[in-house]
Amino acid sequence: MSELPVIDVAPLLTDTTGSGRRAVADAIGAACRDSGFFYISGHGVPPELIARLDAAGRRFFALPEAVKDEISMDKGGRAWRGFFPVGGELTSGRPDLKEGLYFGAEEPPGPLPLHGPNLFPAQVPELRGAVLEYLDTMTRLAQGVMSGIALSLGLDEDYFRTGYTADPTILLRIFHYPPAPPDDPATWGVGEHTDYGLLTLLLQDANGGLQVRTARGWIEAPPLPDTFVCNIGDMLDKLTGGHYRSTPHRVRNRSGNERLSFPFFFDPGWDDEVPPLPYAAGHRWDGQVDFTGTYGAYLLSKVSKVFPRLFESTL
């Protein structure tokens, strides 16, 4: 079991009368004020789709390194899509003990960074269909969860859907964590960090390893059947003046097994600015409370620190 609440979000997705939405919104609001983390059930994501995505991901990471490198991120150019090896990402300023795949909305090549076509491996052809279907499915789910967040803030339920997320920035990662060395407690799959945007929906396999820093100290966020872990990011923290919390978290795979996770990031539109709502400030926002400008400029400044060499090569 987990110390984080489990919230059935089905009324946000299926209750056309709205009678059950208020209770869900209240539960989401309480979780966002407490730790910014909660589980969601009743999400409607087909188990068959999850199984296809998981199987395709495992097939890819079982490939030889040279084959995986055929779709390395440097081949994606400014789109920043594709594969990176273990140690290739610096989430908290030091190499993570994980390898991964970066995906986003499938688009034609263009001038915008973090936009463009995805890179898919020829050796695992089923990954393309699973990823693109998952992106569409999770975008609909995230819009529904954001409607609950809007209601919890006393806003119209379509506040985000018709505003900041009318044309959202969507990103999907598939991370593969080898087991952490048992004799090195300082080795982290992902070091302590907060997420950048509005909302993260995390699918994790049965091996666990996610930890959340709360007012009660670090707690485990183990995998629970048929749920996603949901957490809010720095942009929602900023938007609410700290009323809702973007909370540090980290991952260490102590299971002794290979671990896969699938974080889906649902963020404001690339050209949107995110001014704060009229809430009293009371919580840090990544040390950058004075940030102004578009979400795209902000996101690019963040990701450039995670992949500094790649950023320099795609300027």
Side-chain angles (χ1 to χ4, degrees), residues 1-272:
M1 295 298 292
S2 170
E3 297 179 45
L4 301 172
V6 180
I7 302 173
D8 184 347
V9 299
L12 298 175
L13 309 173
T14 61
D15 183 2
T16 56
T17 66
S19 58
R21 297 186 183 199
R22 182 73 262 167
V24 177
D26 289 345
I28 289 175
C32 289
R33 291 188 298 272
D34 178 35
S35 68
F37 269 81
F38 52 97
Y39 294 83
I40 60 171
S41 62
H43 47 74
V45 178
E48 175 269 340
L49 173 58
I50 291 173
R52 283 167 47 211
L53 184 68
D54 182 89
R58 291 181 191 279
R59 278 197 63 198
F60 174 79
F61 289 113
L63 294 171
E65 192 84 3
V67 177
K68 291 183 286 190
D69 277 337
E70 292 176 5
I71 59 164
S72 62
M73 289 183 71
D74 61 330
K75 295 178 173 65
R78 291 173 64 83
W80 288 42
R81 310 289 170 83
F83 167 73
F84 70 87
V86 172
E89 187 171 35
L90 285 69
T91 301
S92 57
R94 58 186 299 178
D96 295 332
L97 186 63
K98 72 175 190 297
E99 58 183 335
L101 283 165
Y102 269 46
F103 300 105
E106 182 71 9
E107 299 171 336
L112 280 181
L114 276 75
H115 290 69
N118 289 293
L119 300 181
F120 293 104
Q123 298 80 4
V124 190
E126 67 272 26
L127 185 62
R128 177 186 179 90
V131 163
L132 296 182
E133 183 178 346
Y134 192 78
L135 285 168
D136 288 344
T137 300
M138 297 304 289
T139 298
R140 291 191 293 271
L141 173 59
Q143 293 282 24
V145 175
M146 290 303 301
S147 71
I149 289 175
L151 288 172
S152 74
L153 291 167
L155 304 168
D156 183 87
E157 65 181 271
D158 289 330
Y159 178 83
F160 294 103
R161 194 191 307 263
T162 59
Y164 301 128
T165 65
D167 182 21
T169 301
I170 59 170
L171 301 167
L172 171 66
R173 315 293 189 232
I174 304 179
F175 291 144
H176 172 245
Y177 299 84
D183 57 348
D184 186 1
T187 301
W188 291 94
V190 177
E192 181 179 348
H193 68 286
T194 54
D195 291 347
Y196 307 145
L198 286 178
L199 188 72
T200 304
L201 296 171
L202 173 69
L203 171 67
Q204 51 180 340
D205 71 8
N207 291 302
L210 174 63
Q211 298 178 351
V212 178
R213 193 177 79 188
T214 71
R216 303 173 295 281
W218 286 99
I219 65 170
E220 301 287 336
L224 301 180
D226 303 318
T227 69
F228 291 91
V229 176
C230 180
N231 67 280
I232 64 174
D234 294 336
M235 274 292 159
L236 193 56
D237 191 317
K238 177 181 186 290
L239 185 68
T240 63
H243 187 57
Y244 284 3
R245 290 178 173 271
S246 173
T247 302
H249 49 288
R250 62 191 184 187
V251 174
R252 186 164 190 257
N253 179 15
R254 295 174 292 183
S255 68
N257 303 313
E258 310 296 311
R259 177 183 187 264
L260 253 62
S261 72
F262 307 80
F264 172 82
F265 301 99
F266 186 74
D267 296 344
W270 186 261
D271 294 323
D272 288 338

